[in-house]
Amino acid sequence: MTEQLDAGLVARQIAESDQLSDPSGVREVGRARRRKEDARLVTGRTMWTDNIQLPGMLYVAFLRSPMAHARITRVDVSAARVQPGVVAAYAGQDLADEQGSLPCAWPVSEDVVIPDHPPMAVDTVRYVGEAVACVVATDRYKAADALEAIEVDYEPLEAVLDMTEALAEGGPRVHEAGNQAFTWKFAGGDIEAAFRDAPVVIDRTYVQQRLIPTAMEPRAVVATTDGDAFTLYSATQIPHVLRVMLALTTGIPEHRLRVVAPDVGGGFGSKLQVTAEEVLCLLLTRRLGKPVKWTESRSEGNLTVHHGRDQLQRISVAAERDGRIRGVRVDLLADMGAYLMLVTPGVPLLGAFMYNGIYKMDAYDFTCTGVFTTKMPTDAYRGAGRPEATFAIERAVDELAHELGLDPIEVRRRNWITHQEFPYTTIAGLTYDSGNYEAATDRALALFGYDKLRAEQADRRDRRDPVQLGIGVSTYTEMCGLAPSRVLGSLSYGAGGWEHAAVRLLPTGKVEVVTGTSPHGQGHETAWSQIVADALGVPFDDVSVLHGDTAVAPRGMDTYGSRSLVVGGVAVLRACEKVKDKARDLAAHLLEAAPGDVEFTAGEFRVRGTSEGRTIQELALAAFAAHDLPDGFEPRLDADATFDPENFSFPHGTHLCAVEVDTETGTAKIRSYVAVDDVGSVVNPLIVEGQVHGGIAQGIAQALFEEAVYDSEGNLLTTTMADYLIPSAADLPEFVTDRTETPATSNPLGVKGVGEAGTIASTPAVVNAVVDALRPYGVHDVPMPCTPERIWRVLGGGGGTGGSATGWAGPTESEGGAR
Amino acid sequence: MIPAAFDYIRPASLDEACRVLGDAGDEAKILAGGQSLLPLLRLRLAYPAALVDLGRVPGLRGVEDRGDHVFIGALTTHDEVLRSAVVREHVPLVALATATVADPAVRHRGTFGGSLAHADPAGDLPAVALALDCVFVARSGEGEREIPAAEFFVDYLEPALHPGEVLLGVRVPKLGAGWGFHYEKFHRTAQAWAVVGVAAAVRVEGGSLEEARIGLTNMGPAPVRARAVETALRGVAPAPGGNGGAGGSRDPLRDACGEAAEGTAPPADLHAGQDYRRHLARVLTYRAVRAASA
Ligand SMILES: Cc1cc2nc3c(=O)[nH]c(=O)nc-3n(C[C@H](O)[C@H](O)[C@H](O)COP(=O)(O)OP(=O)(O)OC[C@H]3O[C@@H](n4cnc5c(N)ncnc54)[C@H](O)[C@@H]3O)c2cc1C
């Protein structure tokens, strides 16, 4: 019923939006506009990188290591060179003197070890899938065939797969310097005091399994040169960062290198990277003087797109008997994989400030050790560090509630920052500017029917129903809108966090917006148009947004960390304000009034108290004609602006999940899911809704479905979608979504960012629900993903190797937890 | 993800197909919907010299009511099977299982015959063919022959077809009045293959099971006819009260289904270990028989 109403609401919002044909006087910001870019994206009538065809184009295929760890003793590409259609074939050795090392832009600590990372392995391979040779041929089929003619001799070395073993003395080493990449510590308050004589201590270890980001569009690269300048097309989230990094690593001067991100079909962080393939394609076009293209296959992608998560989390919570939290201690092992890529070591640290969640406490202590293994490197994946942190604290708070016999909502109420306390500086040193956890939680409880579901749960427990019901809570916050440049500097990050925009009125009154953000599915063209339409009083359809090409949008920091609207959208607004100021001066001049007497409403400048006015379109033409301009006025209505936020933004919300666990088969099925998010002010509710839905799906996927599995020799077993299971709409429940709105105070739009919130919130809600269903069996954890087999084993199936449960412990023991 | 080079041949008649296939011997592979064969080629797990596409061969596609049985042409797509009123009315178990195959896109290309000729123990239709005692009709240059289902599935991806022999279609017996059917598939996502599946056909008389036929999906290198449980089920009442005996009194049906994994050699893979598959076979057989008896 509720779902139906909810779906109806969105449909109505769209219908209303579509009906508003004359937008003058109606605010665009806040309307559920359908996305203007979607028609070309979903019909494929657009320029994806793999669609690009250039004259004389050659195709690249990579031979990849079948060994997790080995010395390369010989590579012979000579037989491949004479295969039909083959233009060139190279081994790593052939490129050694010009390929450089792939960059790591986040040297997190003094002790960080950043190993040399050749794009193509030269003498050692350190993960299955690492490129060892390549073929360039006249079509991709010939290139793939010729790979089979390459001979490589490997001298196997021992694989390093387990983080704890990797840190032990005397074992095999991934790199000369050892397997520890860095240690990083952070503390606030007196942690010893918090734990000393604490009446309750919850001590848990959670495994954040390794995930494979799976964007709809696989990675693809096209590189071309005219012999002097280079253009790289790539399915990337970060054309600007990429250009700088490629200039630094390849020696191609920055002003001779253009990077283009055509329309890009999803990234989730996996395209926030400087990849081996991008560097190698540039080198190949430089050597061969012809355009080259490489497009990965899905299996190649599973092996070599950087992976996500993979942390071993130990979390301890010290609390009073009434549930009040005294302190939290976190000890993290983070799997770096074989090398440090663009922001690999920084990802776990983005969570370092979040393990305290929305709670007040006296002390906090965080240690992270980065560990090298012979696996694909990890790096940013939707949420990057914050989903891991949120999972640990939200799981631990549920454990605390169970331990104390309190309702999990009640324990949260006793600890969270109340809405009167904002702005609030947390024990981790962040200042949360605004929020209202009570409001979001109350709304979520009402939509969910919390009490009724608890009653049903008790009934099923009493009946010992083979299908048990569990209820999971997640009251999350996160830090996003990356980021204040100064803060990034203090964390040793290699760049700033500002964003750039340019807005120009064309002679006919239409508007072009240039943004430094690089959308890859988020809908910036629509949202930015809404912001501009309101700010300049022009119709929504009169705005077009240019992005993703360093020759067109020369300045920017790109799209990740839910930053585009919060930083880039604000830059657009600021540029509009500047344009408006210029237009006001021109209007005042033409109307022979003082600028202070000129008012702006709905696209028209008027002298206060008169009907004399000029529309912004008229002013655009007047500026272009330049017949009658104020002294010193340049003949254009345009402006540039950058925005560097003073703080992160902190979306929050309450997610509630009800799961039915079939104890006979072990299947966990989500019965209902309610998400009430507070992402601050909303520019386009439809886009927010889409981000929330996709985010929740991705978080549920971690909880129940996805896991990258390596075997004992370091071979990736989940190389196809038959083995790496991604849920589709058919596997997910309808989500009931709603919002509360407490505007951010750190930016003029009041927006907080919504790209990652759903993913961050949902994983612990689902796992909490699964565990809650199984409490009567004495179960206190199910490792992720909570597959049917794992649940069966936790319940004692097959001898119970997967858990500690000893069978039904009786409903009485669990009553405290249930009520 | 790019197959090695191969020749492509598209015969226009069955005679031509048999001739071409006879000449090529082991080197050629028959192509139907390509939904199983092409993935093998793309992963370079198979290197046939030629593909012989049956798509233009007339007479291999369609469903026919032939009195005591339904004949399903090998090239009939899963989607066509699902839309067939004859299938739904006379051999509903085929429809029930086909509805669980993959997703609509795959069902529009993949064929009934291809699914069986592929002899994948994880496919949903082989267990059904076994449970229903279907008869396979095949033809080669040597002529036409019939192969009973019990002899058709030799081993993993190995049907009893000779190289170059074309499966023309399958006779699916109508079991007649008094029979109930169910296909219970256990899989992790909607479009995924079965971890385990159970095809059940049962006849209930006077409140107890007179006859039960059980086929198991993905419980061995070939689909399994679960004879032990069929015997154990005879005479058992399929509809006890309450919660099916999960917590309370003994349930003879559940006891009988304890035999479901007898004699099986299920695979162990990422999705399930052997012991879990055996457990699932018992639980799912129970559910399948309950549903088929209802
Ligand atoms: C994503 C995906 C999910 C799937 N999920 C399922 C599932 O859940 N359950 C399931 O049962 N199946 C599933 N399938 C397989 C699907 O059912 C295929 O349709 C079927 O396995 C093969 O049929 P086909 O017509 O595509 O055969 P092809 O792929 O063309 O051929 C398969 C094999 O059979 C041989 N062959 C085909 N036709 C004949 C013939 N007439 N005579 C002799 N030999 C022949 C071929 O030579 C080949 O060896 C899935 C496939 C995909 C791609």
Side-chain angles (χ1 to χ4, degrees), chain A residues 94-116:
Chain A
D94 302 324
L95 304 171
D97 55 353
E98 58 171 312
Q99 67 172 343
S101 181
L102 292 174
C104 171
W106 203 338
V108 289
S109 65
E110 295 276 310
D111 71 349
V112 69
V113 175
I114 303 185
D116 196 41

Side-chain angles (χ1 to χ4, degrees), chain A residues 340-681:
Chain A
L340 301 188
M341 297 194 71
L342 192 62
V343 298
T344 301
V347 168
L349 309 188
L350 284 171
F353 309 95
M354 284 280 108
Y355 280 86
N356 51 307
I358 63 170
Y359 310 113
K360 296 179 279 193
M361 61 190 70
D362 306 325
Y364 173 59
D365 187 85
F366 174 90
T367 305
C368 175
T369 306
V371 186
F372 289 117
T373 59
T374 51
K375 298 181 192 171
M376 180 65 207
T378 56
D379 208 312
Y381 178 49
R382 203 168 190 174
R386 290 101 75 210
E388 296 93 312
T390 304
F391 180 85
I393 186 64
E394 289 304 297
R395 281 286 294 113
V397 168
D398 258 34
E399 293 299 304
L400 177 64
H402 176 74
E403 178 81 19
L404 296 171
L406 291 169
D407 185 284
I409 299 278
E410 180 55 29
V411 174
R412 287 169 168 86
R413 279 190 201 283
R414 290 182 190 180
N415 285 288
W416 70 37
I417 301 156
T418 62
H419 70 276
Q420 301 95 335
E421 291 173 286
F422 290 95
Y424 183 92
T425 300
T426 71
I427 193 68
L430 295 174
T431 300
Y432 295 174
D433 60 332
S434 70
N436 190 335
Y437 308 141
E438 301 94 315
T441 303
D442 289 345
R443 182 83 189 113
L445 290 172
L447 286 170
F448 191 60
Y450 189 75
D451 295 333
K452 217 171 142 206
L453 283 165
R454 282 289 184 209
E456 181 183 333
Q457 175 181 51
D459 177 56
R460 285 185 189 244
R461 285 179 180 184
D462 287 344
R463 285 192 288 119
R464 304 182 73 169
D465 191 326
V467 179
Q468 288 289 313
L469 182 67
I471 294 169
V473 180
S474 167
T475 51
Y476 77 100
T477 188
E478 64 124 340
M479 53 186 268
C480 66
L482 305 181
S485 298
R486 243 177 315 184
V487 176
L488 290 179
S490 74
L491 291 171
S492 316
Y493 183 61
W498 49 265
E499 196 45 81
H500 173 264
V503 170
R504 49 185 184 247
L505 272 165
L506 305 179
T508 56
K510 312 293 182 196
V511 185
E512 277 178 345
V513 178
V514 176
T515 178
T517 64
S518 196
H520 40 284
Q522 292 88 348
H524 296 177
E525 292 175 29
T526 299
W528 286 202
S529 297
Q530 290 177 270
I531 293 170
V532 171
D534 276 0
L536 298 181
V538 297
F540 170 82
D541 289 326
D542 283 2
V543 185
S544 72
V545 178
L546 311 176
H547 57 79
D549 179 345
T550 59
V552 171
R555 277 177 287 280
M557 281 294 179
D558 308 316
T559 287
Y560 51 86
S562 303
R563 69 186 306 274
S564 292
L565 176 61
V566 182
V567 191
V570 174
V572 169
L573 180 68
R574 288 204 160 172
C576 288
E577 296 297 337
K578 288 188 182 174
V579 169
K580 216 162 68 183
D581 287 345
K582 281 191 189 172
R584 185 193 309 277
D585 288 346
L586 179 56
H589 171 78
L590 296 175
L591 295 165
E592 296 176 354
D597 290 335
V598 176
E599 295 177 323
F600 179 71
T601 20
E604 189 173 9
F605 291 90
R606 271 199 198 160
V607 181
R608 203 184 311 268
T610 74
S611 57
E612 273 285 305
R614 291 281 189 285
T615 66
I616 196 154
Q617 289 84 357
E618 288 167 346
L619 294 169
L621 190 61
F624 172 71
H627 297 161
D628 182 12
L629 301 179
D631 285 345
F633 192 100
E634 294 188 345
R636 54 196 166 92
L637 285 182
D638 60 9
D640 273 52
T642 54
F643 179 64
D644 196 337
E646 70 202 26
N647 195 358
F648 296 93
S649 59
F650 303 97
H652 72 81
T654 298
H655 287 212
L656 299 172
C657 177
V659 165
E660 286 179 1
V661 179
D662 177 343
T663 58
E664 291 180 359
T665 61
T667 305
K669 182 166 169 274
I670 297 179
R671 185 164 110 186
S672 59
Y673 195 101
V674 168
V676 177
D677 295 292
D678 193 326
V679 298
S681 305

Side-chain angles (χ1 to χ4, degrees), chain A residues 140-141 144-145 148 297-299 464 466 662 664-665 667 704-705 709 717-718 720 722-723 725-727 730-731 787-789 792-793 798, chain B residues 1-5 43-44 47 186 188-193 243 246-247 254 269-276 279-280 283-284 286-287:
Chain A
R140 41 181 324 206
Y141 306 95
D145 285 344
E148 300 200 346
S297 71
R298 188 58 72 179
S299 296
R464 304 182 73 169
D662 177 343
E664 291 180 359
T665 61
T667 305
L704 299 181
F705 297 101
V709 182
L717 299 180
T718 48
T720 72
D723 293 320
L725 293 185
I726 296 188
D731 303 300
T787 63
E789 182 173 21
W792 178 69
R793 289 194 194 284
Chain B
M1 283 290 120
I2 290 179
L43 292 165
R44 298 202 170 202
Y47 290 78
F186 187 85
R188 299 230 1 241
T189 58
Q191 58 143 261
W193 297 82
N243 62 7
R254 193 172 286 274
D269 57 29
L270 278 179
H271 304 304
Q274 288 188 315
D275 54 349
Y276 179 54
H279 168 76
L280 283 178
V283 174
L284 302 180
Y286 176 81
R287 292 182 181 182

